[in-house]
Amino acid sequence: MSERRTDKQRNSPWGGNFTVTATTEADTKTVLVDDEEGNTIYWTPGDQISLFNNSGDEVVFSTNLEANSTVATFTNDATFDAPESLLAVYPTRTDKETTYDATSNTIKTLHIGGTQTAVAGSFDPRYAIAVGTPKESGSTELKFKNIHTLVKFTIGGESAPTSVKLKNNGYRMIVGNFDYNLTNNTAT
């Protein structure tokens, strides 16, 4: 169930009690579980998202899930001055500061790391970047969608290598910092 914010709520700072409900679109990845229905996408215990406040700065929101779920409620960990329309990023990164520039409608300094930890049947959740927007105007129910592609491959044989290196032959960067423009859905 989504919440609607009143003008008073929208224009006042919230400290530790502003909540949002997060869902995923069909192809969004937080954690991938292979089950009888195919691959199901779940939010997991310990997940955090960042919402951008009126100044365009990140505020961390956490979930208290005890088991994987397709829907999760997140609550702010610090004061949150809610903007007119909510905007969120998954996952929250502590090693990079991401901001939102309303003038250009761009999320700045997102990061895909070059060294990722393999997860059998899934992916390193720290690098599956998704953007959350309201399901409807004024709602605190956010739908998340991945903004990049994941590469899936299988290694066969008797023993697995200790590392795998992917190369794109220098055509375009596949890891590093990037900005994401929400108007035209492009990364630079």
Side-chain angles (χ1 to χ4, degrees), residues 1-2 6 8 16 33 37 46 57 61 64 73 83 92 115 128-129 131 138 151 155 181:
M1 174 196 253
S2 68
T6 65
K8 183 178 177 185
V33 177
E37 298 173 12
D57 298 321
F61 281 64
N64 61 358
T73 299
T92 294
T115 302
I129 299 172
V131 171
V151 176
I155 298 172
N181 183 287

Side-chain angles (χ1 to χ4, degrees), residues 27-103:
D27 295 330
T28 301
K29 310 292 190 246
T30 55
V31 70
L32 183 63
V33 177
D34 191 14
D35 56 21
E36 9 354 282
E37 298 173 12
N39 291 319
T40 304
I41 310 306
Y42 292 103
W43 294 102
T44 60
D47 273 345
Q48 292 183 321
I49 60 175
S50 292
L51 271 79
F52 296 101
N53 64 18
N54 262 333
S55 301
D57 298 321
E58 284 181 292
V59 175
V60 176
F61 281 64
S62 301
T63 185
N64 61 358
L65 285 175
E66 294 181 12
N68 291 350
S69 177
T70 56
V71 177
T73 299
F74 289 85
T75 303
N76 53 315
D77 297 339
T79 300
F80 181 66
D81 186 12
E84 182 69 27
S85 183
L86 298 175
L87 178 63
V89 172
Y90 171 85
T92 294
R93 298 289 304 265
T94 57
D95 59 338
K96 302 286 180 191
E97 184 175 321
T98 301
T99 58
Y100 171 67
D101 178 8
T103 305

